[in-house]
Protein backbone atom coordinates (compact mmCIF):
# COMPACT_ATOMS: atom_id res chain seq x y z
CA UNK A 1 0.00 0.00 0.00
CA UNK A 2 2.82 2.36 0.89
CA UNK A 3 4.57 1.98 -2.41
CA UNK A 4 1.45 2.40 -4.54
CA UNK A 5 0.96 6.12 -4.17
CA UNK A 6 4.34 7.25 -5.54
CA UNK A 7 3.97 4.85 -8.38
CA UNK A 8 0.61 6.34 -9.15
CA UNK A 9 2.13 9.75 -9.10
CA UNK A 10 4.84 8.60 -11.44
CA UNK A 11 2.16 7.12 -13.66
CA UNK A 12 0.29 10.38 -13.66
CA UNK A 13 3.46 12.27 -14.49
CA UNK A 14 4.37 10.01 -17.37
CA UNK A 15 0.81 10.14 -18.61
CA UNK A 16 0.95 13.93 -18.57
CA UNK A 17 4.22 13.89 -20.44
CA UNK A 18 2.84 11.43 -22.92
CA UNK A 19 -0.26 13.56 -23.47
CA UNK A 20 1.90 16.62 -24.00
CA UNK A 21 4.03 14.74 -26.49
CA UNK A 22 1.00 13.52 -28.36
CA UNK A 23 -0.45 16.99 -28.50
CA UNK A 24 2.77 18.35 -29.93
CA UNK A 25 2.88 15.46 -32.38
CA UNK A 26 -0.63 16.04 -33.55
CA UNK A 27 -0.03 19.74 -33.80
CA UNK A 28 3.02 19.11 -35.97
CA UNK A 29 1.08 16.66 -38.11
CA UNK A 30 -1.69 19.18 -38.49
CA UNK A 31 0.70 21.88 -39.58
CA UNK A 32 2.30 19.48 -42.03
CA UNK A 33 -1.05 18.41 -43.48
CA UNK A 34 -2.16 22.01 -43.85
CA UNK A 35 1.06 22.71 -45.68
CA UNK A 36 0.45 19.76 -47.96
CA UNK A 37 -3.09 20.86 -48.73
CA UNK A 38 -1.83 24.35 -49.45
CA UNK A 39 0.86 22.81 -51.62
CA UNK A 40 -1.59 20.73 -53.64
CA UNK A 41 -3.81 23.79 -54.00
CA UNK A 42 -0.96 25.78 -55.42
CA UNK A 43 0.24 22.85 -57.50
CA UNK A 44 -1.08 23.16 -61.04
CA UNK A 45 0.21 20.27 -63.10
CA UNK A 46 0.27 19.92 -66.88
CA UNK A 47 0.28 16.28 -67.96
CA UNK A 48 1.62 15.43 -71.40
CA UNK A 49 0.81 11.94 -72.72
CA UNK A 50 1.72 10.19 -75.98
CA UNK A 51 0.12 6.84 -75.03
CA UNK A 52 1.89 3.86 -76.57
CA UNK A 53 2.97 5.83 -79.61
CA UNK A 54 6.31 7.33 -80.65
CA UNK A 55 5.80 11.08 -80.78
CA UNK A 56 9.17 12.79 -80.21
CA UNK A 57 7.99 15.95 -81.96
CA UNK A 58 5.55 16.55 -79.09
CA UNK A 59 8.08 15.69 -76.35
CA UNK A 60 10.57 18.07 -78.00
CA UNK A 61 7.91 20.78 -78.27
CA UNK A 62 7.05 20.66 -74.56
CA UNK A 63 10.75 20.66 -73.63
CA UNK A 64 11.39 24.05 -75.26
CA UNK A 65 12.05 27.17 -73.21
CA UNK A 66 9.29 29.23 -74.81
CA UNK A 67 6.70 26.53 -74.07
CA UNK A 68 7.68 26.25 -70.39
CA UNK A 69 7.72 30.04 -70.04
CA UNK A 70 4.23 30.18 -71.51
CA UNK A 71 3.08 27.55 -68.98
CA UNK A 72 4.57 29.51 -66.11
CA UNK A 73 2.93 32.70 -67.32
CA UNK A 74 -0.41 30.85 -67.29
CA UNK A 75 0.14 29.89 -63.65
CA UNK A 76 1.16 26.24 -64.03
CA UNK A 77 3.79 24.93 -61.62
CA UNK A 78 4.54 21.37 -62.77
CA UNK A 79 5.07 19.64 -66.11
CA UNK A 80 4.86 15.84 -66.20
CA UNK A 81 5.67 14.11 -69.49
CA UNK A 82 4.72 10.54 -70.41
CA UNK A 83 7.08 9.99 -73.35
CA UNK A 84 6.10 6.46 -74.42
CA UNK A 85 8.38 4.84 -76.99
CA UNK A 86 10.16 8.11 -77.78
CA UNK A 87 13.96 8.40 -77.99
CA UNK A 88 14.21 12.07 -77.04
CA UNK A 89 14.53 12.47 -73.25
CA UNK A 90 13.49 15.83 -71.86
CA UNK A 91 15.52 17.59 -69.14
CA UNK A 92 14.30 17.14 -65.58
CA UNK A 93 14.29 20.23 -63.38
CA UNK A 94 13.12 21.41 -59.97
CA UNK A 95 10.69 24.25 -59.51
CA UNK A 96 12.48 27.58 -59.25
CA UNK A 97 11.29 31.13 -59.38
CA UNK A 98 10.19 31.84 -62.90
CA UNK A 99 10.07 28.24 -64.15
CA UNK A 100 8.00 25.07 -63.89
CA UNK A 101 9.20 21.77 -62.41
CA UNK A 102 9.70 19.15 -65.12
CA UNK A 103 9.54 15.39 -64.68
CA UNK A 104 9.05 12.53 -67.14
CA UNK A 105 8.50 8.76 -67.41
CA UNK A 106 8.03 6.28 -70.25
CA UNK A 107 5.01 4.15 -69.32
CA UNK A 108 2.81 3.75 -66.27
CA UNK A 109 -0.21 1.69 -65.31
CA UNK A 110 -1.66 4.66 -63.45
CA UNK A 111 -2.18 7.08 -66.33
CA UNK A 112 -5.71 7.64 -65.02
CA UNK A 113 -4.32 8.97 -61.70
CA UNK A 114 -2.05 11.40 -63.51
CA UNK A 115 -4.95 12.59 -65.66
CA UNK A 116 -7.06 13.09 -62.54
CA UNK A 117 -4.43 15.17 -60.74
CA UNK A 118 -3.67 17.31 -63.80
CA UNK A 119 -5.00 20.83 -64.32
CA UNK A 120 -4.36 20.64 -68.06
CA UNK A 121 -3.78 17.62 -70.31
CA UNK A 122 -1.81 17.70 -73.55
CA UNK A 123 -2.35 14.47 -75.46
CA UNK A 124 -1.64 12.70 -78.74
CA UNK A 125 -4.66 12.30 -81.01
CA UNK A 126 -5.57 8.71 -80.03
CA UNK A 127 -9.28 8.36 -79.36
CA UNK A 128 -8.67 6.43 -76.11
CA UNK A 129 -6.65 9.25 -74.55
CA UNK A 130 -9.02 11.93 -75.85
CA UNK A 131 -12.21 10.41 -74.43
CA UNK A 132 -10.63 9.35 -71.13
CA UNK A 133 -9.56 12.97 -70.55
CA UNK A 134 -12.87 14.47 -71.70
CA UNK A 135 -14.79 12.09 -69.43
CA UNK A 136 -12.76 13.34 -66.44
CA UNK A 137 -13.74 16.88 -67.44
CA UNK A 138 -10.14 18.03 -67.76
CA UNK A 139 -9.15 20.80 -70.17
CA UNK A 140 -7.42 19.17 -73.12
CA UNK A 141 -5.10 20.17 -75.94
CA UNK A 142 -4.71 17.47 -78.60
CA UNK A 143 -1.51 17.59 -80.63
CA UNK A 144 -1.72 15.94 -84.03
CA UNK A 145 1.27 13.86 -85.13
CA UNK A 146 2.11 15.14 -88.60
CA UNK A 147 4.62 12.32 -89.20
CA UNK A 148 1.98 9.58 -89.40
CA UNK A 149 1.30 8.31 -92.93
CA UNK A 150 -2.44 7.76 -92.81
CA UNK A 151 -3.37 10.67 -90.62
CA UNK A 152 -7.08 10.21 -90.10
CA UNK A 153 -6.70 10.90 -86.38
CA UNK A 154 -6.63 14.67 -86.93
CA UNK A 155 -10.26 14.38 -88.14
CA UNK A 156 -11.53 13.53 -84.67
CA UNK A 157 -9.45 16.18 -82.89
CA UNK A 158 -10.47 18.86 -85.38
CA UNK A 159 -14.15 17.94 -85.16
CA UNK A 160 -14.11 18.01 -81.33
CA UNK A 161 -12.18 21.30 -81.45
CA UNK A 162 -14.83 22.75 -83.75
CA UNK A 163 -17.43 21.71 -81.17
CA UNK A 164 -15.34 23.48 -78.50
CA UNK A 165 -14.65 20.38 -76.39
CA UNK A 166 -10.88 20.75 -76.72
CA UNK A 167 -8.07 22.63 -78.43
CA UNK A 168 -6.26 21.13 -81.40
CA UNK A 169 -2.64 22.01 -82.09
CA UNK A 170 0.49 20.97 -84.00
CA UNK A 171 3.83 20.49 -82.24
CA UNK A 172 5.18 23.73 -83.73
CA UNK A 173 2.17 25.85 -82.74
CA UNK A 174 1.65 24.37 -79.27
CA UNK A 175 3.18 27.27 -77.32
CA UNK A 176 0.96 29.71 -79.21
CA UNK A 177 -2.11 27.61 -78.38
CA UNK A 178 -1.15 27.79 -74.68
CA UNK A 179 -0.76 31.57 -74.93
CA UNK A 180 -4.07 32.12 -76.73
CA UNK A 181 -6.25 29.53 -74.98
CA UNK A 182 -9.24 30.44 -72.84
CA UNK A 183 -10.17 27.33 -70.86
CA UNK A 184 -13.44 28.85 -69.66
CA UNK A 185 -14.74 28.81 -73.24
CA UNK A 186 -14.46 25.00 -73.50
CA UNK A 187 -17.74 23.06 -73.32
CA UNK A 188 -18.14 19.83 -71.32
CA UNK A 189 -18.34 16.68 -73.45
CA UNK A 190 -21.62 14.76 -73.06
CA UNK A 191 -21.09 11.05 -72.34
CA UNK A 192 -21.56 8.70 -75.29
CA UNK A 193 -24.56 6.41 -75.56
CA UNK A 194 -24.62 2.92 -77.10
CA UNK A 195 -28.34 2.27 -76.59
CA UNK A 196 -29.39 3.54 -80.07
CA UNK A 197 -27.07 0.99 -81.69
CA UNK A 198 -28.29 -1.78 -79.39
CA UNK A 199 -31.91 -0.91 -80.19
CA UNK A 200 -31.29 -0.99 -83.96
CA UNK A 201 -29.44 -4.32 -83.76
CA UNK A 202 -32.29 -5.85 -81.72
CA UNK A 203 -34.94 -4.51 -84.08
CA UNK A 204 -33.07 -5.81 -87.14
CA UNK A 205 -32.86 -9.30 -85.65
CA UNK A 206 -36.55 -9.32 -84.75
CA UNK A 207 -36.16 -9.05 -80.97
CA UNK A 208 -38.97 -7.09 -79.31
CA UNK A 209 -38.18 -3.65 -77.80
CA UNK A 210 -38.30 -3.68 -74.02
CA UNK B 1 -19.73 -40.01 -135.25
CA UNK B 2 -17.01 -39.86 -132.57
CA UNK B 3 -16.32 -36.19 -133.15
CA UNK B 4 -20.06 -35.41 -133.07
CA UNK B 5 -20.38 -37.15 -129.68
CA UNK B 6 -17.40 -35.19 -128.41
CA UNK B 7 -18.84 -31.84 -129.52
CA UNK B 8 -22.21 -32.82 -127.96
CA UNK B 9 -20.38 -33.65 -124.72
CA UNK B 10 -18.39 -30.41 -124.83
CA UNK B 11 -21.51 -28.34 -125.48
CA UNK B 12 -23.40 -29.96 -122.64
CA UNK B 13 -20.46 -29.36 -120.30
CA UNK B 14 -20.37 -25.70 -121.34
CA UNK B 15 -24.14 -25.42 -120.83
CA UNK B 16 -23.82 -26.96 -117.37
CA UNK B 17 -21.00 -24.59 -116.45
CA UNK B 18 -22.93 -21.58 -117.76
CA UNK B 19 -25.97 -22.80 -115.84
CA UNK B 20 -23.95 -23.14 -112.62
CA UNK B 21 -22.44 -19.67 -113.08
CA UNK B 22 -25.91 -18.30 -113.73
CA UNK B 23 -27.28 -19.96 -110.57
CA UNK B 24 -24.30 -18.63 -108.59
CA UNK B 25 -24.85 -15.10 -109.90
CA UNK B 26 -28.57 -15.27 -109.12
CA UNK B 27 -27.75 -16.55 -105.64
CA UNK B 28 -25.19 -13.77 -105.03
CA UNK B 29 -27.73 -11.16 -106.19
CA UNK B 30 -30.34 -12.71 -103.91
CA UNK B 31 -27.95 -12.66 -100.94
CA UNK B 32 -27.00 -9.02 -101.62
CA UNK B 33 -30.70 -8.18 -101.90
CA UNK B 34 -31.62 -10.02 -98.70
CA UNK B 35 -28.66 -8.56 -96.78
CA UNK B 36 -29.77 -5.40 -95.01
CA UNK B 37 -33.38 -6.69 -94.90
CA UNK B 38 -34.48 -7.18 -91.28
CA UNK B 39 -35.06 -10.73 -90.07
CA UNK B 40 -38.59 -11.72 -89.10
CA UNK B 41 -38.26 -14.76 -86.85
CA UNK B 42 -41.50 -16.22 -85.45
CA UNK B 43 -40.04 -16.78 -82.00
CA UNK B 44 -36.69 -15.06 -81.48
CA UNK B 45 -34.14 -17.41 -79.95
CA UNK B 46 -30.66 -16.59 -78.55
CA UNK B 47 -28.19 -16.10 -81.38
CA UNK B 48 -24.58 -17.24 -81.40
CA UNK B 49 -22.53 -14.08 -81.72
CA UNK B 50 -19.05 -13.44 -83.05
CA UNK B 51 -17.47 -10.27 -81.68
CA UNK B 52 -14.43 -9.02 -83.57
CA UNK B 53 -12.28 -6.84 -81.35
CA UNK B 54 -9.98 -4.31 -82.97
CA UNK B 55 -7.45 -2.69 -80.68
CA UNK B 56 -7.26 0.25 -78.30
CA UNK B 57 -10.06 2.68 -79.10
CA UNK B 58 -11.90 0.14 -81.30
CA UNK B 59 -12.16 -2.33 -78.43
CA UNK B 60 -13.36 0.36 -76.02
CA UNK B 61 -16.19 1.25 -78.42
CA UNK B 62 -17.15 -2.40 -78.90
CA UNK B 63 -17.24 -2.97 -75.13
CA UNK B 64 -19.66 -0.02 -74.91
CA UNK B 65 -21.92 -1.61 -77.53
CA UNK B 66 -21.82 -4.97 -75.73
CA UNK B 67 -22.71 -3.36 -72.41
CA UNK B 68 -25.91 -2.04 -74.00
CA UNK B 69 -26.93 -5.39 -75.56
CA UNK B 70 -29.09 -7.98 -73.78
CA UNK B 71 -26.69 -10.81 -72.98
CA UNK B 72 -29.38 -13.51 -72.91
CA UNK B 73 -30.21 -12.76 -76.56
CA UNK B 74 -26.65 -12.82 -77.82
CA UNK B 75 -25.12 -16.09 -76.68
CA UNK B 76 -22.91 -18.01 -76.83
CA UNK B 77 -20.41 -15.23 -77.48
CA UNK B 78 -17.15 -15.75 -79.36
CA UNK B 79 -14.52 -13.03 -79.01
CA UNK B 80 -11.84 -12.79 -81.66
CA UNK B 81 -8.85 -10.44 -81.53
CA UNK B 82 -5.60 -10.07 -83.49
CA UNK B 83 -2.79 -12.38 -82.33
CA UNK B 84 -0.56 -9.33 -81.75
CA UNK B 85 -3.12 -7.73 -79.46
CA UNK B 86 -3.17 -9.02 -75.88
CA UNK B 87 -5.11 -6.18 -74.30
CA UNK B 88 -8.42 -6.55 -76.15
CA UNK B 89 -9.22 -10.12 -75.08
CA UNK B 90 -8.24 -9.19 -71.54
CA UNK B 91 -10.79 -6.36 -71.58
CA UNK B 92 -13.46 -8.72 -72.93
CA UNK B 93 -12.62 -11.20 -70.16
CA UNK B 94 -13.07 -8.47 -67.56
CA UNK B 95 -16.49 -7.68 -69.06
CA UNK B 96 -17.54 -11.34 -69.08
CA UNK B 97 -16.30 -11.85 -65.50
CA UNK B 98 -18.37 -8.84 -64.46
CA UNK B 99 -21.42 -10.40 -66.14
CA UNK B 100 -20.78 -13.75 -64.44
CA UNK B 101 -20.61 -11.96 -61.08
CA UNK B 102 -23.90 -10.14 -61.60
CA UNK B 103 -25.48 -13.42 -62.68
CA UNK B 104 -24.49 -14.94 -59.35
CA UNK B 105 -21.48 -16.82 -60.64
CA UNK B 106 -23.46 -18.57 -63.36
CA UNK B 107 -21.16 -19.85 -66.09
CA UNK B 108 -21.60 -17.76 -69.20
CA UNK B 109 -20.79 -19.29 -72.51
CA UNK B 110 -18.05 -17.05 -73.81
CA UNK B 111 -14.99 -18.13 -75.77
CA UNK B 112 -11.88 -16.11 -76.55
CA UNK B 113 -9.82 -16.65 -79.69
CA UNK B 114 -6.96 -15.04 -81.56
CA UNK B 115 -6.58 -14.54 -85.29
CA UNK B 116 -3.73 -13.55 -87.61
CA UNK B 117 -3.99 -9.99 -88.77
CA UNK B 118 -4.21 -9.22 -92.48
CA UNK B 119 -2.35 -5.94 -92.15
CA UNK B 120 -0.43 -4.31 -89.33
CA UNK B 121 -0.58 -0.54 -88.87
CA UNK B 122 1.90 0.96 -91.30
CA UNK B 123 2.52 -2.27 -93.29
CA UNK B 124 2.84 -1.72 -97.04
CA UNK B 125 -0.06 -2.76 -99.26
CA UNK B 126 2.13 -5.13 -101.33
CA UNK B 127 3.43 -7.30 -98.46
CA UNK B 128 -0.03 -7.31 -96.95
CA UNK B 129 -1.22 -9.56 -99.82
CA UNK B 130 0.73 -12.54 -98.42
CA UNK B 131 -0.26 -11.92 -94.83
CA UNK B 132 -3.87 -11.48 -95.93
CA UNK B 133 -3.87 -14.99 -97.52
CA UNK B 134 -2.67 -16.53 -94.23
CA UNK B 135 -5.24 -14.51 -92.33
CA UNK B 136 -8.01 -15.71 -94.68
CA UNK B 137 -7.08 -19.40 -94.21
CA UNK B 138 -7.10 -18.99 -90.45
CA UNK B 139 -10.34 -17.04 -90.55
CA UNK B 140 -11.98 -19.79 -92.65
CA UNK B 141 -10.99 -22.38 -90.05
CA UNK B 142 -12.45 -20.26 -87.23
CA UNK B 143 -15.66 -19.51 -89.14
CA UNK B 144 -16.23 -23.20 -89.92
CA UNK B 145 -15.88 -23.92 -86.19
CA UNK B 146 -18.08 -21.04 -84.96
CA UNK B 147 -20.70 -20.50 -87.73
CA UNK B 148 -22.13 -17.43 -85.94
CA UNK B 149 -25.60 -16.02 -86.60
CA UNK B 150 -24.55 -12.51 -85.61
CA UNK B 151 -21.24 -10.78 -86.33
CA UNK B 152 -20.40 -7.53 -84.54
CA UNK B 153 -17.37 -5.61 -85.75
CA UNK B 154 -15.96 -2.10 -85.84
CA UNK B 155 -12.65 -2.46 -87.63
CA UNK B 156 -9.75 -2.44 -88.24
CA UNK B 157 -8.73 -5.05 -90.86
CA UNK B 158 -9.15 -8.11 -88.64
CA UNK B 159 -12.87 -8.27 -89.42
CA UNK B 160 -12.59 -8.23 -93.22
CA UNK B 161 -11.70 -11.91 -93.85
CA UNK B 162 -14.32 -13.02 -91.32
CA UNK B 163 -17.04 -10.89 -92.91
CA UNK B 164 -16.16 -12.00 -96.47
CA UNK B 165 -16.30 -15.65 -95.38
CA UNK B 166 -19.65 -14.98 -93.68
CA UNK B 167 -20.90 -13.61 -97.01
CA UNK B 168 -19.69 -16.73 -98.86
CA UNK B 169 -21.39 -18.93 -96.23
CA UNK B 170 -24.62 -17.07 -97.02
CA UNK B 171 -24.18 -17.67 -100.76
CA UNK B 172 -23.38 -21.37 -100.35
CA UNK B 173 -26.08 -21.76 -97.73
CA UNK B 174 -23.94 -22.93 -94.80
CA UNK B 175 -25.13 -20.22 -92.43
CA UNK B 176 -27.10 -16.98 -92.68
CA UNK B 177 -25.35 -14.49 -90.43
CA UNK B 178 -26.21 -10.85 -89.90
CA UNK B 179 -23.21 -8.53 -90.04
CA UNK B 180 -23.24 -5.30 -88.02
CA UNK B 181 -20.45 -2.83 -88.58
CA UNK B 182 -19.90 0.26 -86.43
CA UNK B 183 -17.45 2.74 -87.96
CA UNK B 184 -14.99 4.09 -85.39
CA UNK B 185 -15.65 7.46 -83.76
CA UNK B 186 -12.23 8.52 -85.06
CA UNK B 187 -13.69 8.58 -88.58
CA UNK B 188 -15.41 11.89 -89.11
CA UNK B 189 -15.10 12.70 -92.82
CA UNK B 190 -13.95 9.50 -94.53
CA UNK B 191 -14.64 5.81 -93.91
CA UNK B 192 -11.80 3.51 -92.91
CA UNK B 193 -10.54 1.01 -95.51
CA UNK B 194 -12.41 -1.87 -93.80
CA UNK B 195 -15.54 0.24 -93.49
CA UNK B 196 -15.40 1.27 -97.14
CA UNK B 197 -15.00 -2.37 -98.27
CA UNK B 198 -17.94 -3.64 -96.20
CA UNK B 199 -20.08 -0.69 -97.34
CA UNK B 200 -19.29 -0.88 -101.05
CA UNK B 201 -19.51 -4.68 -101.26
CA UNK B 202 -22.83 -4.63 -99.37
CA UNK B 203 -21.49 -7.20 -96.89
CA UNK B 204 -22.66 -5.41 -93.75
CA UNK B 205 -26.37 -5.79 -93.05
CA UNK B 206 -26.35 -2.64 -90.99
CA UNK B 207 -23.63 -0.02 -91.27
CA UNK B 208 -23.47 2.46 -88.40
CA UNK B 209 -21.57 5.77 -88.33
CA UNK B 210 -21.04 8.10 -85.38
CA UNK B 211 -20.92 11.45 -87.20
CA UNK B 212 -23.71 13.02 -89.30
CA UNK B 213 -21.23 14.17 -92.00
CA UNK B 214 -20.43 10.53 -92.82
CA UNK B 215 -24.10 9.61 -93.09
CA UNK B 216 -24.63 12.41 -95.61
CA UNK B 217 -21.72 11.10 -97.68
CA UNK B 218 -22.74 7.43 -97.43
CA UNK B 219 -26.56 7.37 -97.51
CA UNK B 220 -26.95 3.64 -96.73
CA UNK B 221 -25.15 4.18 -93.42
CA UNK B 222 -27.14 4.79 -90.25
CA UNK B 223 -26.20 7.65 -87.93
CA UNK B 224 -26.28 6.54 -84.28
CA UNK B 225 -24.50 9.35 -82.42
CA UNK B 226 -21.30 9.05 -80.42
CA UNK B 227 -20.59 5.78 -78.59
CA UNK B 228 -17.77 7.21 -76.48
Amino acid sequence: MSHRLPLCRVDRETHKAWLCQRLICEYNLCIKKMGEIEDSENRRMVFVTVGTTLFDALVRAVDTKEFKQELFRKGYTHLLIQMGRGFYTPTKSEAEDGSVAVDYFTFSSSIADHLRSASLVISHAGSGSIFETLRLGKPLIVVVNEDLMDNHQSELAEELAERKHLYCARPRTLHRTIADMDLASLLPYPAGDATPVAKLINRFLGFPDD
Amino acid sequence: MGSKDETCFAISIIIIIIGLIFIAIVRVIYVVYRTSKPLRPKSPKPLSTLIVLGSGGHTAEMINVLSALQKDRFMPRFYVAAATDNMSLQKARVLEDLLADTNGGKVVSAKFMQIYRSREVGQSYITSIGTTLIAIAHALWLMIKIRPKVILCNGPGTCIPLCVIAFLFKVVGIRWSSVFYVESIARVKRLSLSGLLLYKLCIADQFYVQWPQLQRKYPRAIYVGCLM
Side-chain angles (χ1 to χ4, degrees), chain A residues 127 131 135 150 152 155-156 158-159 163 189 192-194 196-198 200-202 204-208 210, chain B residues 37-39 41 44-45 64 68 70 73-74 180 185 187-190 205-206 208 211 213 224 226-228:
Chain A
S127 69
F131 289 109
R135 222 172 297 135
D150 171 30
H152 73 268
E155 283 182 23
L156 176 65
E158 278 157 11
E159 179 67 27
R163 293 171 181 238
Y189 181 79
D193 186 12
V197 173
L200 285 169
I201 292 174
N202 272 298
F204 185 89
L205 294 170
F207 287 116
D210 327 89
Chain B
K37 297 279 177 299
L39 306 185
K45 280 186 227 110
N64 276 5
Q70 295 85 341
R73 291 178 178 176
F74 299 89
F180 300 95
I185 195 166
R187 301 293 178 158
V188 182
K189 292 179 191 136
R190 291 170 300 146
D205 287 78
Q206 297 243 284
Y208 304 119
W211 296 102
Q213 300 95 302
V224 290
C226 291
L227 286 178
M228 295 298 287

Side-chain angles (χ1 to χ4, degrees), chain B residues 91-102:
Chain B
K91 279 182 197 153
R93 274 205 185 94
V94 170
L95 178 79
E96 286 292 341
D97 287 347
L98 211 77
L99 285 174
D101 281 347
T102 51

Side-chain angles (χ1 to χ4, degrees), chain B residues 114-133:
Chain B
Q114 290 189 313
I115 190 170
Y116 293 109
R117 233 173 126 159
S118 47
R119 188 172 158 264
E120 290 299 329
V121 173
Q123 191 184 338
S124 81
Y125 286 101
I126 298 163
T127 56
S128 65
I129 294 172
T131 47
T132 303
L133 287 176

Side-chain angles (χ1 to χ4, degrees), chain A residues 4-136:
Chain A
R4 241 180 120 180
L5 199 75
L7 207 139
C8 252
R9 198 176 288 148
V10 169
D11 265 5
R12 227 174 275 152
E13 287 298 310
T14 49
H15 188 66
K16 251 190 206 162
W18 179 78
L19 262 180
C20 263
Q21 233 169 13
R22 233 189 87 171
L23 259 172
I24 290 166
C25 256
E26 264 174 19
Y27 176 74
N28 281 342
L29 211 80
C30 210
I31 294 276
K32 206 176 151 197
K33 259 188 194 162
M34 270 164 74
E36 268 171 20
I37 287 168
E38 217 162 83
D39 204 43
S40 70
E41 266 173 7
N42 288 336
R43 188 186 154 96
R44 294 188 68 216
M45 194 252 281
V46 177
F47 182 50
V48 179
T49 175
V50 305
T52 53
T53 67
L54 197 166
F55 194 0
D56 274 346
L58 173 58
V59 182
R60 253 179 235 276
V62 298
D63 197 32
T64 56
K65 210 174 167 193
E66 50 193 341
F67 173 81
K68 287 182 213 168
Q69 273 172 354
E70 214 55 69
L71 283 190
F72 187 77
R73 223 169 281 156
K74 285 275 173 180
Y76 296 103
T77 57
H78 291 73
L79 173 63
L80 182 60
I81 305 165
Q82 184 261 318
M83 53 176 277
R85 295 194 289 124
F87 301 107
Y88 177 81
T89 42
T91 39
K92 277 189 192 190
S93 67
E94 297 291 319
E96 291 157 25
D97 281 343
S99 75
V100 292
V102 184
D103 198 2
Y104 68 87
F105 61 91
T106 53
F107 294 102
S108 163
S109 55
S110 55
I111 293 289
D113 295 332
H114 293 301
L115 288 176
R116 227 167 270 135
S117 58
S119 304
L120 171 70
V121 178
I122 298 175
S123 165
H124 73 121
S127 69
S129 263
I130 291 180
F131 289 109
E132 196 174 355
T133 310
L134 290 181
R135 222 172 297 135
L136 290 170

Side-chain angles (χ1 to χ4, degrees), chain B residues 34-214:
Chain B
R34 267 298 307 278
T35 294
S36 81
K37 297 279 177 299
L39 306 185
R40 299 253 173 270
K42 283 185 189 100
S43 54
K45 280 186 227 110
L47 303 170
S48 61
T49 304
L50 172 66
I51 298 140
V52 191
L53 298 172
S55 55
H58 293 274
T59 303
E61 288 175 38
M62 182 57 84
I63 298 281
N64 276 5
V65 173
L66 290 173
S67 318
L69 284 173
Q70 295 85 341
K71 308 304 171 301
D72 52 333
R73 291 178 178 176
F74 299 89
M75 58 176 240
R77 289 181 288 282
F78 300 91
Y79 293 89
V80 171
T84 48
D85 174 17
N86 297 320
M87 290 303 294
S88 295
L89 285 183
Q90 218 168 306
K91 279 182 197 153
R93 274 205 185 94
V94 170
L95 178 79
E96 286 292 341
D97 287 347
L98 211 77
L99 285 174
D101 281 347
T102 51
N103 283 2
K106 206 174 83 185
V107 183
V108 221
S109 45
K111 279 210 176 77
F112 305 90
M113 281 164 272
Q114 290 189 313
I115 190 170
Y116 293 109
R117 233 173 126 159
S118 47
R119 188 172 158 264
E120 290 299 329
V121 173
Q123 191 184 338
S124 81
Y125 286 101
I126 298 163
T127 56
S128 65
I129 294 172
T131 47
T132 303
L133 287 176
I134 298 171
I136 287 173
H138 192 222
L140 186 63
W141 168 240
L142 281 182
M143 283 294 284
I144 290 171
K145 276 205 297 189
I146 302 171
R147 294 192 306 280
K149 287 188 175 147
V150 175
I151 298 179
L152 301 176
C153 50
N154 61 346
T158 331
C159 64
I160 292 294
L162 295 164
C163 291
V164 170
I165 291 162
F167 182 80
L168 294 178
F169 279 12
K170 280 177 174 178
V171 172
V172 179
I174 295 175
R175 169 73 86 211
W176 192 276
S177 40
S178 307
V179 178
F180 300 95
Y181 184 86
V182 191
E183 186 56 286
S184 159
I185 195 166
R187 301 293 178 158
V188 182
K189 292 179 191 136
R190 291 170 300 146
L191 291 181
S192 63
L193 184 62
S194 354
L196 199 66
L197 276 172
L198 292 180
Y199 181 86
K200 291 276 181 205
L201 297 175
C202 298
I203 289 176
D205 287 78
Q206 297 243 284
F207 194 96
Y208 304 119
V209 292
Q210 303 187 46
W211 296 102
Q213 300 95 302
L214 269 185

